[in-house]
Amino acid sequence: MTPRKKSHQPRRSEQQQVLQVFKRAKHPLLLKELKALMAVPAAESRNLQKIVHNLVKAGELIKLPRGRYGLTAGMNLVAGQLSVHPEGYGFVASETGGPDVFINPANLKEALHGDRVVARVEHVGHRGRREGRIIRILERRIKKVVGLLSQAKDTYFVSPEDEHLLFDLIIPAECLDQAQVGQVVVAEITRFPTERLNPLGKIIEVLGAPEDPLVQVKSVIHKYDLPRRFPTRVLREARQVPREVPAAARAGRLDLRELLTVTIDGDKARDFDDGVALVKKADGSFILYVSIADVSYYVNPGSALDAEAYQRGNSIYFPHLVLPMLPEELSNGICSLNPGVERLAVTVTLNYNAQGRLLSSRFNRSVVQSQARLTYNQVQEILESHDLAWVQYNPELVEMLTSMAELCQLLRDRRKERGSLLLSIPEAEVRLDDQGVPTDIRRIDHLQAHQLIEEFMIAANEAAARCLGEPAIFRVHDVPDPDKMQAFRRAMSRLGYRLPPEADYNPLILREFFDQIQDTPVAYLVQIMLLRSLKQARYAASNVGHYGLAAPIYTHFTSPIRRYPDLMVHRLLLDRLQKTGPSEGPDEEELADQARFLSARERLAIEAEREMLARMQVRCLAEHVGEIFHGTISGVSAFGFFVSLDEIFAEGLVRLVDLPDDYYKFQESRLRLIGRRRGRSFQVGDRVQVRVAHVDLRRRHINLVLCPQKDA
């Protein structure tokens, strides 16, 4: 069902046996002592050494002087990834759970942002804050940097774009590879820093001038080490996939080709995972069909296609470029539910009563044919105006969409009852000219058409999760961290709102809180603040529920073209339904490892997409220096306040030093700045008029200045 580990790799169960011996021994062991305690025969000595080596590499054991090994957790040590703040300090996120370990700048040693390290906990504060120092670097994860090539006297160096990398990479003259000062380059680290020596590197690729839009794209791709091209063997397999549905593939499938199935996506979408159809019966009940591309029919476990898709984890979407999980022959071709052509699918049929309560669900492999490729804007127009042209052109379609809107509202009401957070976060639409320069960035609000597809996909995902059994791949969302929720609660108090502490574990309380503020000027900003306070959803092999959706069980089933976990769910689900899978079921340890890997790939994709948008926002506003915009204050600090602009979906900073009319004091208790002489205040939610004063493309900073009050 999913990629298997290579047979020579020690299984997790063997590693657990070794760890148990260390726990029972309660002190560090020599390798020969470990062999004796485990009664390992001589023929198995090499395998035991390999297991110990892998546990050291994983950070669960640490090698001590004189050949002894000890449990990391038993020696006040924490293994995890180091995150370095631009101000110089860092945090180690423990791989086994628990609070992060704070590392002050002097105790970072030679470790860099992104490294896997072992830290010794040396102090625990009164609020449980752990502080320590780096004692070992397990793995260097950043091996190349993207940055600007500069020169000081006879020394060339690359200043990394990533502000978390607190070093300049020295480039010997013979390693410039014809790069010119002032160009953006990719440099490989050839010598990591030591206590006395700076890091060295060599130029491996010249990207070009910083202001070139294509250079910005290349910078993000290199910075996050994203896959750009498919290997030859993968493309070879993709070309062998049939361009049309094979006749033999229709056998035994539910034939839904005559059903009025449509896809509803954004204007620029090219791959269509899901199609929907709805039948409203005379008694007011509904039959909802959600048909998802049957990617599992074309991508077989063990194939080069499958291995590459797993390593990518998901597709990555930039404003003018897609890095797909699968080659175009599949993602835009035979797997995509394009209009007017037959496609293989997995369909979930959901039966609802007139109140929108689920009566039953059923999964089938199917063959479908999309009757129309609709956009969100088209569907919204139909729902809002009942456009006569659409009614005359396809009255059946208009009637079905109207019934879909009715069911959508019922499903939202049911989710609201159970406490699901009905957040409405707008998205950005970037418009580019022929050279790839962003000319406009618009705020795309969450319309009824978006809600319609969202509700139907959530319903299909929940139905799939209920069918899976354990172990499987679930989409889980843990209850919030108490400290972060306490900070959020304090922020709400400063804005004049009270959030009960029960919200920490009961999303219904949080949803009721949002009902109270949904029509206030700060509603959108509060939602953003909440998202930063909640934990990230992730993939897991065992179910712990989904806090944000208030769902007892949830998974991802509806996007197998662009998310590998969805493809895994399809295989697990079909194996269960057809009872063709291995009798002992999937390997839980293996699924857990894959869930962790795929969660990491998802986070990487999100970070890359966010950074690309930030670059586009800065580049767009660079063309508007001196122009005036309206906006809302989205954050206040001791050094100024941030303004979210109306006309362009971007945010900039009004610095305290650029408020010359008074001396302003930051009142943290009320999240506002207040003038000492005139009493003018600035707080979250205030409307302001600002002018774009300066844009720093390299640092991605947008400086705004406040327009005089008489112009506001």
Side-chain angles (χ1 to χ4, degrees):
M1 289 174 294
T2 52
R4 292 278 177 184
K5 297 177 182 176
K6 295 180 181 179
S7 59
H8 66 267
Q9 292 290 335
R11 295 185 61 79
R12 182 64 182 168
S13 56
E14 296 175 321
Q15 295 177 342
Q16 289 293 345
Q17 291 174 18
V18 171
L19 292 174
Q20 286 299 323
V21 172
F22 275 94
K23 289 176 182 176
R24 287 194 296 269
K26 297 182 180 180
H27 60 81
L29 298 171
L30 293 166
L31 201 56
K32 65 179 182 181
E33 293 174 328
L34 179 64
K35 291 178 185 177
L37 288 170
M38 297 188 69
V40 174
E44 294 293 325
S45 293
R46 287 183 65 100
N47 184 51
L48 181 61
Q49 290 177 2
K50 188 179 295 183
I51 293 171
V52 171
H53 171 77
N54 283 339
L55 287 170
V56 171
K57 189 176 179 182
E60 296 187 72
L61 292 180
I62 187 167
K63 190 172 183 180
L64 303 169
R66 302 178 184 176
R68 293 186 180 275
Y69 296 86
L71 281 171
T72 302
M75 304 176 67
N76 246 13
L77 304 177
V78 171
Q81 181 165 312
L82 172 66
S83 296
V84 177
H85 191 275
E87 293 184 6
Y89 56 85
F91 291 92
V92 175
S94 172
E95 294 174 342
T96 57
D100 293 350
V101 181
F102 173 80
I103 312 291
N104 70 40
N107 291 332
L108 284 173
K109 302 252 180 209
E110 297 87 30
L112 305 177
H113 176 75
D115 287 349
R116 282 187 71 241
V117 299
V118 175
R120 175 181 288 117
V121 179
E122 298 183 334
H123 175 71
V124 179
H126 70 283
R127 298 183 65 180
R129 171 164 151 163
R130 301 195 291 180
E131 300 181 14
R133 67 174 61 244
I134 305 297
I135 64 166
R136 183 158 302 173
I137 297 170
L138 297 173
E139 179 185 356
R140 295 285 193 181
R141 285 188 169 168
I142 294 180
K143 299 180 175 64
K144 62 181 183 180
V145 299
V146 177
L148 194 71
L149 180 63
S150 303
Q151 183 179 8
K153 295 184 179 180
D154 296 330
T155 303
Y156 295 94
F157 59 93
V158 172
S159 300
E161 279 197 344
D162 190 340
E163 58 185 3
H164 300 280
L165 300 177
L166 309 180
F167 61 86
D168 287 329
L169 186 63
I170 307 300
I171 308 293
E174 63 272 18
C175 298
L176 288 173
D177 194 27
Q178 300 183 333
Q180 303 296 313
V181 171
Q183 290 182 317
V184 179
V185 299
V186 183
E188 180 184 344
I189 301 175
T190 57
R191 185 186 74 197
F192 285 92
T194 65
E195 192 173 348
R196 295 182 177 83
L197 297 173
N198 289 322
L200 289 181
K202 64 178 182 180
I203 307 298
I204 58 175
E205 187 173 343
V206 177
L207 301 185
E211 61 272 11
D212 185 340
L214 186 58
V215 170
Q216 297 297 312
V217 178
K218 290 179 180 178
S219 296
V220 174
I221 289 174
H222 278 286
K223 177 178 176 179
Y224 292 93
D225 199 20
L226 304 177
R228 288 174 288 174
R229 302 179 184 88
F230 286 99
T232 302
R233 67 185 186 282
V234 174
L235 294 175
R236 187 183 305 120
E237 283 189 7
R239 287 191 289 268
Q240 293 171 355
V241 172
R243 298 294 178 266
E244 297 179 355
V245 172
R250 300 191 193 101
R253 288 179 177 263
L254 182 65
D255 191 342
L256 298 176
R257 286 175 290 182
E258 299 302 316
L259 189 66
L260 179 53
T261 299
V262 299
T263 61
I264 305 175
D265 295 274
D267 293 346
K268 297 179 181 179
R270 296 177 62 193
D271 51 3
F272 310 113
D273 292 273
D274 55 272
V276 292
L278 184 71
V279 175
K280 184 177 181 182
K281 301 169 74 174
D283 62 357
S285 62
F286 304 88
I287 305 175
L288 173 65
Y289 299 86
V290 180
S291 296
I292 308 300
D294 190 358
V295 178
S296 64
Y297 180 84
Y298 300 103
V299 179
N300 297 314
S303 65
L305 269 172
D306 187 54
E308 180 69 13
Y310 174 73
Q311 289 301 319
R312 292 181 177 228
N314 39 249
S315 298
I316 299 175
Y317 295 87
F318 295 146
H320 43 4
L321 175 70
V322 177
L323 302 176
M325 185 180 81
L326 296 168
E328 286 192 8
E329 289 87 345
L330 288 91
S331 60
N332 297 350
I334 190 62
C335 291
S336 182
L337 305 186
N338 299 322
V341 292
E342 290 183 5
R343 289 292 184 259
L344 301 181
V346 179
T347 298
V348 54
T349 307
L350 301 162
N351 290 280
Y352 294 95
N353 66 15
Q355 291 73 45
R357 300 195 184 279
L358 184 65
L359 302 175
S360 65
S361 61
R362 184 179 73 254
F363 287 84
N364 294 96
R365 268 190 152 159
S366 60
V367 55
V368 301
Q369 182 166 312
S370 171
Q371 307 298 317
R373 181 269 196 263
L374 302 177
T375 68
Y376 292 119
N377 289 332
Q378 287 174 330
V379 172
Q380 191 67 26
E381 182 181 306
I382 294 171
L383 295 177
E384 286 181 351
S385 64
H386 299 284
D387 189 284
L388 189 60
W390 275 101
V391 174
Q392 292 175 338
Y393 170 68
N394 196 331
E396 186 184 0
L397 174 63
V398 173
E399 182 181 358
M400 184 179 76
L401 290 174
T402 304
S403 296
M404 284 182 169
E406 181 184 350
L407 177 60
C408 168
Q409 188 56 53
L410 290 170
L411 295 181
R412 285 181 72 81
D413 290 343
R414 301 292 80 77
R415 284 210 295 129
K416 187 175 181 179
E417 287 173 359
R418 75 188 192 196
S420 186
L421 301 179
L422 304 179
L423 302 183
S424 180
I425 306 298
E427 297 180 0
E429 180 184 76
V430 181
R431 299 193 174 186
L432 308 168
D433 64 15
D434 294 339
Q435 282 72 47
V437 176
T439 58
D440 192 15
I441 302 177
R442 296 190 175 184
R443 187 189 310 267
I444 304 299
D445 291 317
H446 205 58
L447 304 173
Q448 187 180 16
H450 294 89
Q451 294 174 5
L452 188 150
I453 289 299
E454 178 184 47
E455 293 303 325
F456 294 172
M457 296 306 109
I458 289 174
N461 286 335
E462 288 189 16
R466 288 191 297 268
C467 258
L468 280 177
E470 291 194 57
I473 290 293
F474 297 98
R475 183 67 168 178
V476 302
H477 189 210
D478 298 301
V479 296
D481 179 86
D483 290 340
K484 289 188 176 181
M485 283 301 288
Q486 178 64 19
F488 176 69
R489 191 175 293 106
R490 284 197 298 269
M492 294 302 97
S493 177
R494 290 164 185 161
L495 293 175
Y497 301 103
R498 181 184 178 275
L499 176 64
E502 292 81 7
D504 290 14
Y505 54 85
N506 186 352
L508 181 60
I509 303 296
L510 197 55
R511 199 269 303 152
E512 291 173 348
F513 170 74
F514 275 111
D515 285 349
Q516 298 171 18
I517 66 166
Q518 63 180 353
D519 296 325
T520 68
V522 298
Y524 163 67
L525 303 174
V526 169
Q527 289 186 74
I528 298 299
M529 293 168 71
L530 171 66
L531 287 177
R532 293 169 180 164
S533 303
L534 297 177
K535 291 186 177 180
Q536 291 182 317
R538 58 186 172 86
Y539 297 106
S542 56
N543 173 51
V544 296
H546 196 293
Y547 173 86
L549 293 173
I553 189 167
Y554 196 67
T555 192
H556 273 173
F557 160 77
T558 54
S559 297
I561 290 177
R562 60 185 180 91
R563 291 192 304 229
Y564 194 86
D566 300 51
L567 176 56
M568 293 176 66
V569 166
H570 275 234
R571 290 170 177 163
L572 290 162
L573 186 64
L574 293 171
D575 279 349
R576 179 176 176 81
L577 293 175
Q578 299 168 6
K579 295 183 173 56
T580 60
S583 58
E584 72 275 11
D587 186 304
E588 184 172 3
E589 292 176 0
E590 188 176 359
L591 283 176
D593 288 344
Q594 291 161 356
R596 281 190 289 270
F597 172 78
L598 293 167
S599 294
R601 294 302 300 173
E602 178 191 43
R603 287 193 294 272
L604 185 77
I606 291 172
E607 290 173 11
E609 290 171 353
R610 284 176 179 167
E611 177 164 329
M612 182 60 74
L613 175 60
R615 289 171 182 260
M616 291 291 175
Q617 290 168 324
V618 173
R619 187 69 178 82
C620 184
L621 279 174
E623 303 297 319
H624 296 275
V625 172
E627 296 184 21
I628 293 175
F629 293 89
H630 301 84
T632 304
I633 296 180
S634 56
V636 181
S637 69
F639 53 81
F641 56 85
F642 292 91
V643 178
S644 178
L645 304 179
D646 294 345
E647 295 86 352
I648 293 178
F649 192 13
E651 190 175 72
L653 172 67
V654 176
R655 300 179 302 172
L656 204 61
V657 295
D658 292 327
L659 295 173
D661 65 323
D662 204 343
Y663 292 102
Y664 285 87
K665 179 182 178 182
F666 177 50
Q667 289 186 339
E668 186 177 4
S669 62
R670 297 188 62 181
L671 283 181
R672 72 174 184 175
L673 291 167
I674 187 165
R676 297 179 182 178
R677 182 169 57 89
R678 299 172 59 192
R680 187 182 183 187
S681 66
F682 300 98
Q683 62 187 30
V684 171
D686 284 355
R687 297 285 296 164
V688 291
Q689 194 173 18
V690 293
R691 177 171 54 84
V692 180
H694 176 69
V695 174
D696 187 330
L697 289 175
R698 181 171 169 236
R699 299 175 66 197
R700 296 193 292 282
H701 288 178
I702 300 168
N703 288 341
L704 308 173
V705 294
L706 198 66
C707 293
Q709 261 188 301
K710 62 182 180 180
D711 297 333

